[in-house]
Amino acid sequence: MPLLINLRHVEADDVRLKGELPTEELELDIHDEMVQLGECLHYDVQAQRIEDGLLLQGCLTLPLKCQCVRCLKPFLLQLELDQWTRLLSLAGEDTVPVVNDCVDLTPYLREDILLEIPQHPLCKRDGCGLPKASVGSTHDTSSGDSELSSSAWDALNKLKF
Ligand SMILES: [Zn+2]
């Protein structure tokens, strides 16, 4: 099921969409062996009918299993668009497709998620994503994900997305 919003519901009042969308629905065309998608996109979006349009604001979260392009170690990256905003036009030339009073939000999620997926994922180890100069001062943040061993993939695979 794609993510649909019924315009008649939004007409009456703001609508909050919250849930999970299987990543297959996004049909993200990723041919990057360094990045694998988690199972679900989590969304928590407020939809508001405004003049000639539909305003979407909220948070999108997608777990990614990445492989660091520098040290080749696997790591988990939580892709978060916590201030996602999208304005869909319901009048004029750019009107979005409406079928049975519903707008399919999936294509817009797809576009914006695709833009955020890292092309060259880097873990936070010294010499990878973490700038060398700040290694000493960011001790607290980097200690959490230190030492991903060879069993890291097992650990990642056990995680439920
Ligand atoms: Zn690395």
Side-chain angles (χ1 to χ4, degrees), residues 68 71-76 123-128 130 135 139-156:
C68 178
C71 67
L72 300 180
K73 288 189 176 151
F75 67 103
L76 197 64
C123 74
K124 290 191 176 136
R125 278 181 198 81
D126 302 359
C128 293
L130 210 61
V135 167
H139 222 64
D140 296 339
T141 52
S142 60
S143 59
D145 56 1
S146 60
E147 290 318 307
L148 269 176
S149 65
S150 56
S151 64
W153 277 118
D154 298 338
L156 292 183

Side-chain angles (χ1 to χ4, degrees), residues 33-105:
E33 49 192 33
M34 293 303 190
V35 179
Q36 289 178 43
L37 302 175
E39 279 173 30
C40 286
L41 168 76
H42 302 257
Y43 57 85
D44 186 351
V45 173
Q46 193 87 18
Q48 192 184 354
R49 185 76 167 87
I50 57 168
E51 196 182 341
D52 294 342
L54 183 66
L55 181 64
L56 305 165
Q57 283 178 304
C59 177
L60 308 175
T61 318
L62 178 66
L64 301 174
K65 287 183 204 174
C66 298
Q67 194 177 356
C68 178
V69 292
R70 205 160 284 175
C71 67
L72 300 180
K73 288 189 176 151
F75 67 103
L76 197 64
L77 182 72
Q78 193 81 270
L79 190 69
E80 243 186 70
L81 284 70
D82 58 357
Q83 292 184 349
W84 183 66
T85 306
R86 187 94 193 208
L87 179 62
L88 303 181
S89 179
L90 296 173
E93 284 180 18
D94 316 319
T95 305
V96 296
V98 180
V99 180
N100 295 331
D101 294 325
C102 289
V103 175
D104 184 1
L105 302 183

